């Protein structure tokens, strides 16, 4: 039988279980050897057993010390990500880490140095890069057949509000939500962001302003290759998970629309109705989650570069910080101010 | 842990492996206990082992005699379907059988009697009923909110020609290909077909006429509830697996378009390009294959009716016979002529 | 100034006024010199004056005897069409005649002979050939770039029922409504119909059956070039004027969707709504009416063949007769039976 | 016959002839009495005669002194617009003026004062407000059924570059091209712009930078009602005249796609091709040009407010100035800076 990557998973919450399920059922290149979660409960144990995973503990150290394990999936709470990366690197394990690595650039840099020093791979979980639609946009741009990119556009709207308790500790819309889009514009432009300017507003009446946060934002961006771009965000579309991207280039434009629940069109005297965009991000990006795990395993098995690496972990956080600064100070902010 | 349906699979060819993979990876309600295939080879054994299945043999009797097994999946060659159903019924096993049950109505009737006598369930593998698109059309019609159906339309075209050796023994386009559409029109109309009239032509130059077969067909249908309908078929669309359905009713119309590989639109001075319909039927109906297996298991676990039962195994074959007769005799043919 | 075709219009009812308005406002190649209508009333006179037309009478003979007039538009009631063609031909005028020329093949043949003997042009008003969508389908087929046509499909549904008094004298769905589609399939296939088989049903409860008529019909067709086809009709879509055509060929398929009132998509939690197909045929085919008049004038000015000629006046009527016979006798009917 | 508005047209260039043709052929409420153009040539005279217009001169004064004329269409070069408005107002004529009124706010204010003092109407030619698509977006927002607007989006791209001689004197992309979009966002938001921030780039290699101009621009906007918005522009889409608008609101989103030349979809093994957006703005907005002229005449005939008035002439110019300032100074600019 083909060689498999033996994996330990840190964190068995929602996103941890998603990755575990995918690795077991849909990634033949992977074998989940053990799970560690400080809050491991009966439910998590049953989940593990149901998938045939027999090693589980509350101590991550059990993963790091297991010589059989080659790679770890870091699916803990965000504030532990950077530390886990460093411990994994110290133990010589390759790392897949959920986004963001950290909200402090220096912590990210420390984590990056750790993996570089250890000579292990680090892949960051910007899953949308593996989506059939956005990947097609990227591939067309990267192919060069439309020439140089001029305008990068991302429309990204969540289906509905998160609870306000979540918002209170989210880090703000730019770090919590737009961060995916900041990764996306880097991916689609095949370039780096050099400057941003953000407008935002709390329009929903849900109380975002109590946390100095907004529910609606537009962010303009400049890129190293000369292109300019724009992201628009809403915390609540009400009609589904709106995920549209577009790049206009020298010779034309490539754009993608939303995935819909079905292709039905119902036409009556009252009007014509079509399906809503897929609502849940886990459902919308289901295949992308599987693909990123496969690609991570492939990079290990063939010792090639991971598709989303260290710099991809650092830059979106820096852009989010620039966007937040731009919004607060009412001016355009260069990335060099943040990265200096 | 929740009770699972313990399953034996007869036949480990392409469609058998599809079901086995789905049952193991995507149907938590199922457990594949054993596989039997008279042509079992090393490759099939490796496949079984890779999925953790430890019992496999060349003799179906090993399945029938295994008291642990509650249900069988009949994925053998078509001519063995009816016999396998009868043997499974005799052994007290529930049966999921790939379509068609048989091409002889009496053999189908014998198989149906066998399961009825044994008091076991029989589900027939008309997988398209479980597709998100066609199911939506059915559900809208069945809800009655558009009133009575008037026109049932199915456009069904394969992406490309099968090898001529396949065509030689296929039983002809109506029994081999349109049979899915005959099931579909019954499903979408929520009624029974009473009469058909078929036009056909061998236009591709591939040699279908050598086998008294056609590559292109249109079949009109009448239904018990007064509706009329039409199916159009081609053996080779060249642009993908074209699967469109539509029902026009008292108050309006519901229709579905094809699933596409992605939603990309590429616009240049040369033109605007969008994605092709998904090409392979296994990919196009992937989720539907999983859903039909889940629903079969659910029906067993809760002792409820299977979603596609004995009559659904019989009627499409009868309609295919009527269509073939209509094409050969150049006249409209009533189902009563066939079923008498 | 460029030479204009001087035109007399026979009939100032709805369709007559449509043509007059178009000729005056949108066809620079035409000049409407005079109007004749036996039922000419004050309203029609005001209409004519409003467009600067100063000659109007109740007697068609005033048109035929006017030496200035080169061409006539026959927009009278259907039963007078053939006679008007013959009188116009006898007077040496070119003729544009609304469809159908007559519902009796011999009357049509007499009219055709008259224009042939007189050496004048006859164009028949099958306006849909001039529509941007259907013309595109035809042009793609005619270009040969998709190879030979295999399947011709027309979906044609009126937005809502006509009054039953209209139905009583309409000549039946095949002669009154499907006749446009019979012309369309000839146009799209670039071939001639050789055989038809029709299913029909009165499903709306409006009373079509009292007149031995149906509100719903499907007609299969065979063509000289080997292609087969199907038309589906409904007297009442309830969602708009449904006008879709499609041709599947050797190498692929060309199809057109409906024109919509606008491209708006309104997405809310309740669903996603798009615009209905354009409702009124005069609005839907507005540009096509202008184009057919332009092309008629061009054919006269440059003495070239009209785009829709004598045979196009005859054949759809013959096909409609075959379809009616097929429906009544419950069998497939060859065109040779009708044309013999 | 119904009363008509007697109109004099100033300027018989491309846009003047467009309005003249529409007024004569498609606006029954209007009568074009006379044309004046300082560069009147034989060609223009032939054009006028061809439409039955018998009065034409090189001196606008002939229009202003004609007591029969109630209203003038100002279709001269841009720099003469404001003066013509004032002379028309002094002569007691209602005015339809092409956009922009002037590129100097004080000149616009003088023109506005003149029409106010004279008690005549002034309509400004922001034609896109009369387009079926954009009007639908506006109407949905204005209806309030989606709640308050949050995000206003306009994508506006010309099909191809203008000659560089045109660019040299165009006044820059914001005043020449985006000005339409500045009007559009005011129209769609049902509010006023309070602040803008513009990014721009010369990416095409056509030499826009020689004129301190750009070919690509993105402009963020804030509105009085709290909404935020964004416009993206390109001088050259290469695939057609790209005109998409969208408003996201409290309860959902309304958006419009481009009008296409036809609805054809051609599917082959090489790919699936659909039609390009309509290329020429005169063709794309043909019906809108007619509608704005009708609405202007209606406002005069019924003495009601014009749909696009004085403030609509002033504000887009002010926003364009703010955008240009933002681009030059690299900062967000409040409208109050410009309007003070």
């Amino acid at each position: 039988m083909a060689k498999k990557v033996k994996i330990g998973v840190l964190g068995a919450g929602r996103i941890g279980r998603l990755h575990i399920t995918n690795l077991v059922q849909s990634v033949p290149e992977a074998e989940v050897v053990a799970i560690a979660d400080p809050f491991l409960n009966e439910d998590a144990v049953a989940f593990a057993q149901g998938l045939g995973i027999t090693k589980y503990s509350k101590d991550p150290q059990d993963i790091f010390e297991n010589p059989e394990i080659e790679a770890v999936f870091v699916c803990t709470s965000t504030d532990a990500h950077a530390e886990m990366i460093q411990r994994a690197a110290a133990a010589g394990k390759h790392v897949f880490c959920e986004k963001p690595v950290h909200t402090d650039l220096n912590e990210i840099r420390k984590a990056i140095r750790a993996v570089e020093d250890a000579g292990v791979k680090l892949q960051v979980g910007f899953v949308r890069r593996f989506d059939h639609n956005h990947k097609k946009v990227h591939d067309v741009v990267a192919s060069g057949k439309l020439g140089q990119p001029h305008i990068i556009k991302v429309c990204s709207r969540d289906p509905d509000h998160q609870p306000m308790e979540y918002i209170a500790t989210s880090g703000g819309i730019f770090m919590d939500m737009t961060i995916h889009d900041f990764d996306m514009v880097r991916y689609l432009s095949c370039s780096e962001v050099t400057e941003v300017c953000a407008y935002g507003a709390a329009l929903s009446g849900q109380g975002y302003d109590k946390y100095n946060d907004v529910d609606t934002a537009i962010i303009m961006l400049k890129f190293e290759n000369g292109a300019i771009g724009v992201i628009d965000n809403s915390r609540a579309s009400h009609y589904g998970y709106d995920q549209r991207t577009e790049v206009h280039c020298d010779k034309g434009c490539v754009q993608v629309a939303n995935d819909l629940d079905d292709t039905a069109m119902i036409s009556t005297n009252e009007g014509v109705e079509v399906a809503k965009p897929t609502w849940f991000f886990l459902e919308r990006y289901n295949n992308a989650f599987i693909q990123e795990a496969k690609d991570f395993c492939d990079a290990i098995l063939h010792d090639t570069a991971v598709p989303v690496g260290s710099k991809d972990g650092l830059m979106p956080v820096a852009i989010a910080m620039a966007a937040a600064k731009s919004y607060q100070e009412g001016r355009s902010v260069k990335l060099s101010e943040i990265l200096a």
Side-chain angles (χ1 to χ4, degrees), chain A residues 4 59 85 91 102 121 124 151 178 214 227 231 237 251 264 312:
Chain A
K4 295 191 175 207
D59 188 354
I85 292 173
H102 205 281
K121 296 178 193 298
V124 183
I151 299 173
T178 326
V214 295
I231 297 163
S237 79
K251 296 178 189 167
D312 303 313

Side-chain angles (χ1 to χ4, degrees), chain A residues 138-164:
Chain A
H138 165 84
D139 290 352
V140 169
V141 174
S143 77
K145 69 181 174 189
L146 295 185
Q148 282 295 305
H150 291 190
I151 299 173
I152 318 296
K153 286 172 75 172
V154 170
C155 174
S156 174
R157 300 176 191 158
D158 278 351
D160 211 343
H161 297 287
Q162 302 285 343
M164 277 301 123

Side-chain angles (χ1 to χ4, degrees), chain A residues 149-187:
Chain A
H150 291 190
I151 299 173
I152 318 296
K153 286 172 75 172
V154 170
C155 174
S156 174
R157 300 176 191 158
D158 278 351
D160 211 343
H161 297 287
Q162 302 285 343
M164 277 301 123
E165 308 86 71
Y166 174 89
I167 295 301
T169 63
S170 70
I173 193 169
F174 303 112
M175 191 62 80
D176 181 59
M177 182 176 166
T178 326
I179 194 162
H180 274 296
D181 309 309
F182 292 136
D183 177 66
M184 188 50 63
V185 294
R186 293 177 65 244
Y187 176 60

Side-chain angles (χ1 to χ4, degrees), chain A residues 138 141-142 148-149 152 183-193 223-225 227 247:
Chain A
H138 165 84
V141 174
Q148 282 295 305
I152 318 296
D183 177 66
M184 188 50 63
V185 294
R186 293 177 65 244
Y187 176 60
L188 298 182
S189 67
C190 304
S191 185
E192 290 295 345
V193 172
F223 297 86
E224 254 176 34
N225 61 4
V247 180

Side-chain angles (χ1 to χ4, degrees), chain A residues 9-66:
Chain A
V9 179
L10 302 170
R14 185 172 68 166
I15 195 74
R17 292 190 192 191
L18 170 82
H19 283 300
I20 293 165
T21 304
N22 284 344
L23 289 166
V24 170
Q25 292 182 346
S26 308
V27 184
E29 303 88 344
E31 181 186 343
V32 178
V33 169
I35 297 173
D37 188 319
F39 306 104
L40 194 80
N41 56 17
E42 277 185 35
D43 183 54
V45 169
F47 166 80
Q49 288 175 333
L51 288 166
I53 301 166
T54 53
K55 291 184 187 148
Y56 31 84
S57 80
K58 293 198 172 185
D59 188 354
Q61 198 59 25
D62 294 340
I63 300 281
F64 298 131
E65 290 180 357
N66 185 332

